[in-house]
């Protein structure tokens, strides 16, 4: 076997010849050169052998019995597996027409007889190699045409660009369809004509690492501009590749409109408040952090106005979440309107000098003034906010006024950390609440103590419940005609281990916010019922004990059962108990409340509407509620003798209560003049410092016993209060 023979090892040659000598010599020669050999003695056998052994080449004699070589060749070529097999015809006749016909039926080559045995193997080898090369090419061409189809039909847009000019060499169907240019129009364009938002220089800069060979792929997100001018976002992957001695650039672009929309929606969800559409806490803090950084580099300031609505919880609890939500939206809108028109703050407001409104959650809003030079600017905005929110709102048929308490902190004066700045604004807001609400306060270091105090108070209140640190004081309700004590109102006080006696105005609201009012209320009710029962047994002649009920307590699902249970436990008759509820409590879930009130009333318990007149203005709803007593708020009584409005309101309330057959109690009577006025008006019952302050149980008992709570009614109407009562 020669050197080359090894290369041909295993190649199978089918020898077809009717002359057995020729076949024997051929086999001998070819096998020596490393080929494998099969033989056939005529055309019919040749075809059988071909299909059976699938040779790599056929040596085919033309002149044969039964079926000649030309027919065999034609049939092989006609079959699927014979199209590309090299067929070398052998013939003894130098017949040009036979040679012609042989090529016509698909012969690959020709060897004339007598065969030169020395060159047969070389010749065969050469033909096989040529055939192999053609097969390779065919395979490549097939692949290329397949790839071409894939590229042309790809749903991605594919652009092939010339290297430096960025002109289009080729674009696929998806690109043509999406961009809207015809193939020939692309010829006059470069990729720059399609790009939006990235200049040619920027684009080339982006491609630099690719063109310098530093990387294989560049990835960019950019907008493509259609022929009709519209745009859409794409993600582009860009490669460079060798192309006929040149470098070309392939750009594969994928439309990412949907992804961008989803991203936008997600961003909106993540950064904006669903209820008001305002930026939420996350966006607020991210932006504030950035603004402070910028302010630190410049010489300007950033102010944070922390806005908390006064009594929002009460509105939410009493009028329900629907009204609460409407209110928050309205507040958001008013705040935005406020800062939108605040050009007055700084006439030359540029985008970087913007004012942003955010909702942090609940009833907490912030307004950030970026880029101010003087805190006066914050004052102006705070005052505008107070004015804007102070105007009444009509929501679901309710006229509401909601006032804000505003705390202001300024960076970098108060802090250059956004967390601390917000905390300081929050602290200042609490200070504004303490200062009577509906005002603004700038942060001051001394305030840190009071917010700390609130926190301590919260902790202490939990302990107070466990350790039962409450004391009940009792204030008499006196019959104005006879001076006799009819009822006693129970008022809770907290005996704090270190701070001494704390009054309800310092902790009831906190307890409501914390939810602990439910426990506190139950403690008070139980203790009051027990005490009252003890007094009854001791012979004290007082009709009823009156207990304040907070809204959260009233809304407990088992409220009525709880009250009736406590009465039974104390052995007290239900008609010895009055429950005081504010107007607001009644107005939430009207139907359900009426149901609960009926249940309580049916058992004999009386219901009083406390602080009447401060709430929701509509008097007509009272008719619907099964209530017994109306307690006129002490703010009206306080100036009833020197304020026409108050006198008018009190007169109207008394008339209304009388028409509804309700008992009237005037709260907070401090002067004899007030008492006189109320007596003239025909008010039944009075309560106030004039008669008695709330007293601890022991003191109250002895005061009642000694009859020292007498009422001193002034002599008949003076000219001055006659005028008032007549108006
Ligand atoms: P309220 O139910 O309207 O109670 C009357 C308040 O007016 C009491 O204040 C009482 O001390 C005060 N007062 C009575 N007469 C006069 C007067 O002539 N002049 C002035 N200026 N004030 C007078 P107090 O005890 O500080 O209670 C304040 C509020 O705290 C109560 O108002 C009530 O809403 C609430 N509260 C008190 N105890 C409880 C309780 O056990 N549970 C609940 N939920 N709230 C309570
Ligand atoms: Mg009360
Ligand atoms: Mg009251």
């Amino acid at each position: 076997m020669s050197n080359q023979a090894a290369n041909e090892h295993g190649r199978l040659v089918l020898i077809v010849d009717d002359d057995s000598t020729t076949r024997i010599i051929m086999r001998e020669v070819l096998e020596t050169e490393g080929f494998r050999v099969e033989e056939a003695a005529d055309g019919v056998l040749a075809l059988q052998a071909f299909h059976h052994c699938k040779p790599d080449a056929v040596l085919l004699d033309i002149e044969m019995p039964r079926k000649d070589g030309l027919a065999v060749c034609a049939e092989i070529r006609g079959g699927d597996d014979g199209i590309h097999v090299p067929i070398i015809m052998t013939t003894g006749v130098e017949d040009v027409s036979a040679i012609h016909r042989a090529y016509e039926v698909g012969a690959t080559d020709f060897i004339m007889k007598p065969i030169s045995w020395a060159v047969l193997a070389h010749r065969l080898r050469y033909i096989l190699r040529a055939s192999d090369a053609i097969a390779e090419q065919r395979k490549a061409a097939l692949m290329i045409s397949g790839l071409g189809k894939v590229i042309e039909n790809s749903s991605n847009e594919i652009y092939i660009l010339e290297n430096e000019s960025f002109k289009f060499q080729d674009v696929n169907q998806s690109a043509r369809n999406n961009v809207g240019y015809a193939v020939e129009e692309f010829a006059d364009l470069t990729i720059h004509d399609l790009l939006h938002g990235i200049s040619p220089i920027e684009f080339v800069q982006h491609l630099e690492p690719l063109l310098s060979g530093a990387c294989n792929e560049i990835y960019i997100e950019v907008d493509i501009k259609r022929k009709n001018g519209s745009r859409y976002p794409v993600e582009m992957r860009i490669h460079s590749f060798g192309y006929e001695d040149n470098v070309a650039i392939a750009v594969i672009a994928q439309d990412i409109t949907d992804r961008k929309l989803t991203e936008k929606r997600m961003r909106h969800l993540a950064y904006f408040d669903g209820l008001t559409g305002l930026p939420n806490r996350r966006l607020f803090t991210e932006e504030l952090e950035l603004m402070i950084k910028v302010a630190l580099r410049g010489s300007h300031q950033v102010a944070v106005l922390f806005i908390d609505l006064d009594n929002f919880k009460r509105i939410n609890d009493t009028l329900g979440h629907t009204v609460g939500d409407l209110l928050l939206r309205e507040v958001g809108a008013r705040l935005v309107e406020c800062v939108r028109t605040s050009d007055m703050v700084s006439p030359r407001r540029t985008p970087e000098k913007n004012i942003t409104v955010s909702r942090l959650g609940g009833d907490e809003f912030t307004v950030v003034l970026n880029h101010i030079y003087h805190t006066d600017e914050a004052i102006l905005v705070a005052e505008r906010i107070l004015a804007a929110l102070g105007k009444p709102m009509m929501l679901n048929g309710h006229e509401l006024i909601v006032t804000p308490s505003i705390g202001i902190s300024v960076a970098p004066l108060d802090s250059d950390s956004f967390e601390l700045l917000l905390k300081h604004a929050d602290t200042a807001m609490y200070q504004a609440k303490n200062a009577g609400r509906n005002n603004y306060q700038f942060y001051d270091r001394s305030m840190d103590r009071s917010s700390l105090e609130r926190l301590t108070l919260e902790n202490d209140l939990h302990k107070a419940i466990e350790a039962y640190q409450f004391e009940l004081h009792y204030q008499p309700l006196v019959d104005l005609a006879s001076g006799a004590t009819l009822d006693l109102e129970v008022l809770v006080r907290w005996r704090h281990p270190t701070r001494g006696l704390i009054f309800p105005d310092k902790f009831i609201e906190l307890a409501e916010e914390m939810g602990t009012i439910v426990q506190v209320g139950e403690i008070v009710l139980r203790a009051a019922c027990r005490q009252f029962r003890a007094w009854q047994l001791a012979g004290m002649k007082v009709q009823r004990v009156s207990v304040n009920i907070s809204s959260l307590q009233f809304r407990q699902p088992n409220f009525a059962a709880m009250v009736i249970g406590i009465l039974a436990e104390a052995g007290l008759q239900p008609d010895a108990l009055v429950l005081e509820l504010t107007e607001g409590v009644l107005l939430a879930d009207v139907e359900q409340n009426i149901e609960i009130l009926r249940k309580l009333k049916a058992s004999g318990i009386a219901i009083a509407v406390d602080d009447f007149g401060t709430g929701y203005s509509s008097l007509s709803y009272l008719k619907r509620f099964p209530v017994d007593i109306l307690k006129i708020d002490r703010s009206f009584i306080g100036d009833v003798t020197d304020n026409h409005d108050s006198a008018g309101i009190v007169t109207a309330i008394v008339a209304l209560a009388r028409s509804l057959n309700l008992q009237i109690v005037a709260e907070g009577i401090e002067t004899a003049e007030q008492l006189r006025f109320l007596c003239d008006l025909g008010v039944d019952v009075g309560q106030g410092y004039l008669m008695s302050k709330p007293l601890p149980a022991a003191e109250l008992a002895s005061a009642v016993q000694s009859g020292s709570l007498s009422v001193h009614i002034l002599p008949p109407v003076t000219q001055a209060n006659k005028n008032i009562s007549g108006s």
Side-chain angles (χ1 to χ4, degrees):
M1 202 189 280
S2 71
N3 268 350
Q4 285 145 326
N7 298 335
E8 313 309 340
H9 189 76
R11 305 302 291 261
L12 181 63
V13 182
L14 175 61
I15 299 166
V16 186
D17 206 305
D18 57 335
D19 176 37
S20 59
T21 316
T22 306
R23 293 201 307 271
I24 289 166
I25 300 172
M26 271 186 181
R27 175 187 282 274
E28 182 58 31
V29 168
L30 294 179
E31 281 185 348
T32 311
E33 291 292 334
F35 293 97
R36 288 185 298 128
V37 172
E38 287 292 331
E39 293 175 29
D42 64 37
V44 176
L45 293 172
L47 286 172
Q48 285 170 3
F50 180 83
H51 294 302
H52 175 71
C53 68
K54 299 194 168 48
D56 295 300
V58 182
L59 284 170
L60 182 59
D61 187 20
I62 290 185
E63 310 253 311
M64 284 187 299
R66 293 226 282 176
K67 202 167 232 169
D68 70 11
L70 297 173
V72 172
C73 182
E75 276 190 50
I76 289 177
R77 288 290 184 241
D80 280 345
D81 45 359
I83 304 171
H84 303 298
V85 181
I87 301 176
I88 301 111
M89 308 302 276
T90 54
T91 180
V93 276
E94 226 173 299
D95 176 355
V96 180
S97 73
I99 294 172
H100 258 297
R101 270 181 289 134
Y103 280 122
E104 269 167 26
V105 297
T108 310
D109 207 351
F110 230 88
I111 296 180
M112 296 300 289
K113 287 183 179 171
I115 292 170
S116 156
W117 302 115
V119 295
L120 175 66
H122 290 293
R123 190 77 183 272
L124 194 57
R125 220 176 266 125
Y126 175 81
I127 289 169
L128 274 170
R129 244 173 249 155
S131 151
D132 285 349
I134 290 166
E136 281 294 318
Q137 270 179 14
R138 203 167 40 237
K139 232 160 95 187
L142 234 151
M143 253 169 73
I144 288 168
S145 83
L147 260 182
K149 272 186 207 136
V150 169
I151 288 170
E152 173 65 4
N153 296 324
S154 166
S155 62
N156 288 329
E157 298 164 33
I158 299 173
Y159 305 88
I160 307 296
L161 311 178
E162 280 178 18
N163 187 17
E164 275 163 11
S165 68
F166 294 112
K167 280 186 171 170
F168 292 104
Q169 275 181 4
D170 215 344
V171 290
N172 74 348
Q173 189 184 353
S174 178
R176 297 191 299 273
N177 290 349
N178 285 355
V179 183
Y181 290 108
V183 183
E184 54 280 9
E185 287 177 302
F186 270 106
D188 301 327
L189 299 173
T190 72
I191 187 81
H192 302 310
D193 295 308
L194 297 193
L195 299 179
H196 176 84
I198 182 166
S199 70
I201 293 176
E202 285 168 333
F203 183 71
V204 174
Q205 274 169 358
H206 264 295
L207 259 53
E208 181 46 37
L210 184 76
L211 300 176
S212 67
C215 71
N216 297 325
E217 186 181 64
I218 293 285
Y219 172 96
I220 49 173
E221 281 185 18
V222 52
D223 278 4
I224 285 190
K225 208 162 42 184
R226 293 195 181 88
K227 187 181 178 183
N228 67 13
S230 62
R231 296 196 295 266
Y232 59 102
V234 293
E235 171 192 292
M236 274 187 180
R237 277 172 300 133
I238 307 177
H239 303 259
S240 69
F241 63 99
Y243 180 80
E244 293 178 356
D245 295 341
N246 283 316
V247 175
I249 292 165
V251 177
I252 302 164
Q254 190 179 5
D255 188 335
I256 52 170
T257 306
D258 287 346
R259 197 182 82 194
K260 285 278 166 192
L261 280 177
T262 312
E263 276 173 13
K264 202 172 153 189
R265 264 198 296 274
M266 279 170 59
R267 192 188 135 79
H268 202 89
L269 283 178
Y271 281 104
F272 290 86
D273 166 44
L275 182 66
T276 60
L278 293 172
N280 64 10
R281 181 183 286 270
R282 180 187 291 179
L283 185 54
F284 159 79
T285 47
E286 283 182 15
E287 286 189 342
L288 182 62
E289 193 177 5
L290 211 73
M291 288 176 192
I292 295 175
K293 273 189 192 142
V294 176
L296 288 176
R297 272 184 262 136
S299 57
H300 61 272
Q301 304 169 343
V302 177
V304 175
L305 280 68
F306 193 109
I307 301 159
D308 187 280
L309 305 180
D310 302 328
N311 293 323
F312 173 73
K313 196 180 174 307
R314 201 170 122 198
I315 292 173
N316 220 9
D317 288 348
T318 55
L319 298 182
H321 289 281
T322 315
V323 173
D325 285 356
L326 286 175
L327 184 127
L328 291 174
R329 272 203 207 131
E330 176 65 20
V331 168
R334 286 191 187 190
L335 288 175
V336 169
E337 178 64 17
C338 232
V339 304
R340 196 179 64 78
T341 50
S342 59
D343 303 344
M344 50 168 286
V345 177
S346 166
R348 278 171 286 113
R349 221 153 238 303
T350 55
E352 65 275 9
K353 295 187 82 155
N354 55 0
I355 308 182
T356 44
V357 180
S358 314
R359 178 174 172 231
L360 300 194
D363 61 342
E364 292 174 354
F365 293 82
T366 54
V367 170
V368 177
L369 309 187
N370 190 9
H371 224 106
I372 61 171
Y373 287 96
H374 203 282
T375 47
D376 284 356
E377 297 191 50
I379 293 180
L380 276 170
V381 173
E383 278 170 357
R384 284 180 72 104
I385 292 171
L386 289 173
L389 295 191
K391 292 186 194 124
M393 306 176 180
M394 272 308 285
L395 302 171
N396 261 8
H398 302 277
E399 191 185 62
L400 300 174
I401 293 183
V402 59
T403 56
S405 295
I406 307 174
I408 308 173
S409 62
V410 180
L413 294 180
D414 297 326
S415 173
D416 53 15
S417 121
F418 72 93
E419 285 132 325
L420 276 182
L421 199 65
L422 183 63
K423 191 170 164 279
H424 291 339
D426 183 46
T427 303
M429 184 277 292
Y430 271 109
Q431 200 65 27
K433 293 248 182 222
N434 285 339
R437 303 158 184 240
N438 197 20
N439 71 100
Y440 63 85
Q441 299 282 329
F442 277 89
Y443 169 76
D444 176 318
R445 271 174 222 293
S446 69
M447 290 176 183
D448 288 338
R449 265 193 63 224
S450 56
S451 63
L452 197 71
E453 264 170 26
R454 188 190 140 90
L455 200 69
T456 341
L457 210 59
E458 275 188 24
N459 285 332
D460 290 355
L461 194 54
H462 282 299
K463 290 185 208 141
I465 293 169
E466 284 161 29
Y468 199 88
Q469 292 167 352
F470 301 105
E471 274 180 35
L472 305 191
H473 287 197
Y474 298 84
Q475 190 177 31
L477 276 71
V478 178
D479 175 19
L480 293 188
S482 69
T485 297
L486 299 174
D487 303 334
L488 297 171
E489 179 174 1
V490 185
L491 297 157
V492 68
R493 276 94 183 90
W494 174 8
R495 179 67 67 183
H496 191 282
T498 54
R499 294 170 193 222
L501 205 60
I502 302 179
F503 280 75
D505 59 325
K506 292 279 184 295
F507 71 89
I508 289 288
E509 197 182 308
L510 184 67
E512 275 170 351
E513 282 172 23
M514 291 165 58
T516 45
I517 190 68
V518 177
Q519 287 107 291
V520 176
E522 212 174 307
I523 289 173
V524 172
L525 182 68
R526 181 169 285 116
C529 288
R530 275 200 198 136
Q531 174 64 70
F532 199 72
R533 180 65 189 141
W535 277 330
Q536 278 185 336
L537 292 174
M540 193 200 270
K541 296 270 170 292
V542 175
Q543 292 173 3
R544 300 180 293 197
V545 63
S546 196
V547 181
N548 293 286
I549 301 296
S550 103
S551 76
L552 192 64
Q553 215 184 337
F554 184 67
R555 284 189 286 116
Q556 297 300 302
N558 56 352
F559 177 71
M562 184 272 290
V563 175
I564 292 165
I566 285 180
L567 280 172
E569 191 188 297
L572 195 63
Q573 289 304 308
D575 61 5
L577 180 65
V578 180
L579 298 180
E580 295 192 13
L581 300 160
T582 57
E583 296 169 71
V585 176
L586 297 177
L587 279 179
D589 296 324
V590 172
E591 301 310 323
Q592 196 187 326
N593 289 347
I594 290 178
E595 208 42 52
I596 300 171
L597 292 180
R598 286 226 177 94
K599 204 188 250 175
L600 291 167
K601 243 188 107 148
S603 75
I605 297 166
I607 308 294
V609 182
D610 201 0
D611 304 343
F612 188 77
T614 53
Y616 297 90
S617 60
S618 158
L619 304 177
S620 53
Y621 73 87
L622 264 185
K623 270 186 254 168
R624 304 185 52 199
F625 291 98
V627 297
D628 310 273
I629 305 163
L630 214 60
K631 298 186 78 174
I632 307 173
D633 190 70
R634 66 173 187 269
S635 60
F636 300 113
I637 308 300
D639 56 5
V640 78
T641 53
D642 43 42
N643 181 319
H644 273 274
D645 288 346
S646 293
I649 291 169
V650 172
T651 310
I653 294 175
V654 170
L656 169 90
R658 210 172 274 138
S659 76
L660 294 174
N661 226 354
L662 301 177
Q663 189 188 57
I664 309 162
V665 178
E667 292 182 330
I669 306 172
E670 292 183 349
T671 68
E673 288 77 12
Q674 291 162 357
L675 181 62
R676 169 84 265 168
F677 179 92
L678 296 164
C679 283
D680 287 348
L681 216 55
V683 171
D684 313 309
V685 181
Q687 178 183 2
Y689 293 169
L690 183 67
M691 285 77 87
S692 170
K693 291 204 162 190
L695 299 171
E699 280 175 51
L700 184 278
S702 57
V704 171
Q705 226 91 66
S706 68
S708 64
L709 304 172
S710 55
V711 183
H712 308 284
I713 301 177
L714 286 184
V717 190
T718 63
Q719 197 51 42
N721 55 30
K722 188 177 183 186
N723 287 345
I724 293 170
S725 63
S727 64

